[in-house]
Amino acid sequence: MSLYQIMYISTVTGTVTPDDCATIAREAAVRNRRDDVTGLLLFNSRRFLQVLEGPKDAVERIFARIYDDSRHRGVVKLREGAIVAREFGQWAMAYDDPCRPSDSLKDVVAALLTSAGPSTSAHFLGSAELHRPAA
Ligand SMILES: Cc1cc2nc3c(=O)[nH]c(=O)nc-3n(C[C@H](O)[C@H](O)[C@H](O)COP(=O)(O)O)c2cc1C
């Protein structure tokens, strides 16, 4: 079966709380599993960065729904195309929780990236790093 991957960034509209993130992630997990789509969604209090991978039809259909979601804007694809293997075999989500130090986001993301390629890792680690408060 041929696999397809889309990676995009976007900016949150209004305020999205950790609770909202949990809701988005929970709903996405159920729907994506049904379509055999895996990936990673990262939220760092202002921006989303997501990878979707799986059958081309399903990835494109899910992305079209996400694109129209009013909870974010400025959706920009960073990468799109066929892949030989999944970089994220399971669905995963990481977000900045105000109750936890930001360093932990980077640690969580690093752990999730163990099977990802160098270019994907660079995007996600850069994004997790971006919003660390000054020491
Ligand atoms: C940043 C972000 C990421 C999302 N990721 C997914 C996803 O991976 N899979 C999914 O089915 N829905 C995802 N959603 C939710 C979809 O945009 C949409 O609300 C959901 O698929 C329900 O669509 P429907 O109301 O047209 O059925 C995401 C939403 C946002 C804001």
Side-chain angles (χ1 to χ4, degrees), residues 3 12 23 38 42 51 53 77 98 111-112:
L3 288 167
V12 68
T23 304
T38 54
L42 175 66
V51 169
E53 51 194 21
K77 274 185 197 166
L112 291 169

Side-chain angles (χ1 to χ4, degrees), residues 8 28 31-32 48 50 52 62 65-66 69 71-72 91:
Y8 74 86
R31 289 164 186 270
N32 294 358
F48 292 104
Q50 183 168 28
L52 296 165
I62 290 172
R65 277 206 314 259
I66 295 172
D69 196 310
R71 289 173 287 188
H72 63 170
W91 176 247

Side-chain angles (χ1 to χ4, degrees), residues 8-106:
Y8 74 86
I9 50 167
S10 64
T11 304
V12 68
T13 49
T15 311
V16 170
T17 65
D19 270 0
D20 297 329
C21 282
T23 304
I24 290 174
R26 198 174 47 240
E27 289 174 358
V30 173
R31 289 164 186 270
N32 294 358
R33 192 175 307 123
R34 216 161 44 201
D35 286 327
D36 196 24
V37 167
T38 54
L40 175 62
L41 175 62
L42 175 66
F43 178 59
N44 70 6
S45 78
R46 210 172 77 80
R47 295 204 144 231
F48 292 104
L49 176 58
Q50 183 168 28
V51 169
L52 296 165
E53 51 194 21
K56 187 171 191 232
D57 287 1
V59 168
E60 287 182 330
R61 195 173 56 241
I62 290 172
F63 178 76
R65 277 206 314 259
I66 295 172
Y67 187 88
D68 286 337
D69 196 310
S70 61
R71 289 173 287 188
H72 63 170
R73 62 182 167 79
V75 178
V76 176
K77 274 185 197 166
L78 298 178
R79 202 157 74 197
E80 170 171 29
I83 48 171
V84 285
R86 289 176 198 256
E87 291 188 271
F88 304 97
Q90 295 190 325
W91 176 247
M93 162 107 195
Y95 53 85
D96 231 349
D97 184 337
C99 304
R100 290 180 320 185
S102 272
D103 265 350
S104 66
L105 179 65
K106 218 183 148 209

